[in-house]
Structures are given as structure tokens and as C-alpha cells.
Amino acid sequence: MWKYTDITRDEFERIKDHIEDIMVAHGAVAQEIDLPYSQTATTVQKDSDVIVRKSHRKVYKYKDLYYRIDEVCFDKKPFIVAEIGTQDELMKNTMEDATPFPWDLSEEEMEDEVSFFLGEKLYPTE
């Protein structure tokens, strides 16, 4: 069930595609990896709505780590999250999630998020 009114599922998937394009522009390379599991995401929101979806996102390698773009469906809006890990963690489906970020960032903010989770840039402390 997709309950958001500010963005459709298709539009959200296109934004995740765009994040992957930014990753490629930074040097990430799509990998042809046959995963031993089906990628699914289940989110239970506080109002007991359940969002279940099968994911068919590509896996990317940047330097020595693997990345996959995923989502977290919060109550008010969906967020994008990068999963990050070693090849072993990828194969075992135990990759770590980077900090989720909103889908409606400016182009510059999206670039900053990608630079951050690829380890190229650290946010300044305030």
C-alpha cells in the first residue's frame, strides 16, 4: 500500500534511479551479482499500515564496498537510504544502512548525500 500524496510510487522510484545515476557519476560501478535471497522491504508504520515491496535495485561497487539504494517509509513521507557493506555482508543481506534522507532534496543536497555515504565528504560540525 502506498499512502503518500506528495509523490507517487513511480516518481519515488525515479528519484532512487537518479541517486544511482549520481553514484555512477562519482565512480560507482553496477555489479552483476546473483543474490541468494529475494530483496523485500517491510515497513510497519505507527498507524499499523504495512508497506511490503519487492525490490529490484542494482548493486553498485565503489572502492572496496557495495551499495544498494533502498527506502524507509516513515509516517509522513518516504525517505531514501543507502545500504553499505562488504561483499560478504551483501551476500548475507546484513549490510548497514546509512542515515536516511528525504526524497525532495535539491540537486545539490542529493549530491552531498551521495558524497557523504560514499565516504567522500563529511558534514561540517555545527
Side-chain angles (χ1 to χ4, degrees):
M1 178 169 111
W2 188 257
K3 70 179 211 170
Y4 306 105
T5 57
D6 292 345
I7 187 168
T8 67
R9 166 54 84 182
D10 288 340
E11 290 168 331
F12 189 63
E13 291 299 320
R14 282 193 294 276
I15 290 171
K16 292 193 300 186
D17 292 341
H18 182 61
I19 295 298
E20 291 175 346
D21 292 341
I22 295 170
M23 290 169 55
V24 169
H26 282 259
V29 178
Q31 304 293 294
E32 294 296 327
I33 295 179
D34 188 21
L35 297 174
Y37 53 86
S38 175
Q39 298 174 54
T40 59
T42 303
T43 302
V44 180
Q45 299 175 321
K46 74 177 182 182
D47 57 5
S48 298
D49 282 342
V50 177
I51 297 173
V52 179
R53 67 170 178 80
K54 287 204 180 268
S55 177
H56 302 287
R57 307 302 306 176
K58 292 180 185 175
V59 173
Y60 293 85
K61 186 174 183 184
Y62 181 76
K63 298 185 179 176
D64 293 331
L65 293 174
Y66 291 82
Y67 296 82
R68 185 172 51 216
I69 298 303
D70 201 0
E71 66 190 50
V72 179
C73 295
F74 292 117
D75 288 329
K76 301 231 185 263
K77 68 180 180 178
F79 275 55
I80 297 168
V81 64
E83 296 178 316
I84 304 165
T86 64
Q87 185 175 14
D88 185 57
E89 291 167 332
L90 169 67
M91 297 309 284
K92 292 179 180 175
N93 200 21
T94 59
M95 296 169 74
E96 294 290 324
D97 288 348
T99 302
F101 55 93
W103 62 268
D104 54 354
L105 297 177
S106 70
E107 185 68 23
E108 182 179 348
E109 291 168 321
M110 284 186 195
E111 288 274 351
D112 285 346
E113 290 292 340
V114 171
S115 292
F116 179 70
F117 71 67
L118 290 177
E120 298 176 339
K121 182 178 188 176
L122 296 177
Y123 289 117
T125 56
E126 295 187 24

